Amino acid sequence: MGRKGLLIHYHFCTGCHSCEIACKQEHGYPAGRWGIMVKECIRESNDRVQVDYLPFPTDLCDLCAARTRLGEKPACVKHCQTGCITFGEVGDLARQMEETPKSVLYAPR
């Protein structure tokens, strides 16, 4: 079994914060502590505004080790309303990333 990680297709993230809420509830983090946060990125150019939302795992993210040991998905993946967060082997996720615009790979140690 190889190293695990998250592939986040932020092109599809709507900024609903379901991943944040699911993570906080799963781990019982207090106010101000997050395992994953949704960052809003705003760019303006040529009288247009581009808004992207980027789910950003923090140092507290352990990929829901207790859940994944039981064969379950991490809470953020399970509750993502758009399905833009994928859990799996880093090598497999990296291959998927080659075909996915606006994506990031998170692979903690």
Side-chain angles (χ1 to χ4, degrees):
M1 184 157 51
R3 186 173 172 199
K4 302 288 188 180
L6 297 174
L7 179 60
I8 301 169
H9 310 276
Y10 69 93
H11 180 72
F12 300 109
C13 181
T14 61
C16 72
H17 299 271
S18 291
C19 57
E20 287 180 343
I21 295 165
C23 179
K24 270 185 136 350
Q25 289 179 343
E26 180 72 25
H27 295 284
Y29 293 135
R33 304 279 308 232
W34 309 91
I36 190 167
M37 300 176 71
V38 177
K39 300 284 188 173
E40 182 180 75
C41 305
I42 301 172
R43 292 183 309 248
E44 295 182 44
S45 65
N46 301 329
D47 297 328
R48 295 191 71 186
V49 175
Q50 173 72 41
V51 180
D52 287 315
Y53 297 97
L54 177 59
F56 182 83
T58 72
D59 288 341
L60 294 177
C61 178
D62 66 355
L63 299 176
C64 289
R67 293 177 60 85
T68 56
R69 268 195 299 277
L70 299 173
E72 297 178 26
K73 296 176 182 177
C76 62
V77 176
K78 178 180 179 182
H79 294 282
C80 178
Q81 294 181 20
T82 63
C84 70
I85 306 174
T86 305
F87 173 73
E89 303 247 347
V90 171
D92 295 338
L93 296 175
R95 284 186 283 282
Q96 288 178 34
M97 188 178 187
E98 291 290 330
E99 301 170 13
T100 307
K102 293 187 176 184
S103 60
V104 294
L105 182 59
Y106 174 73
R109 267 284 169 207

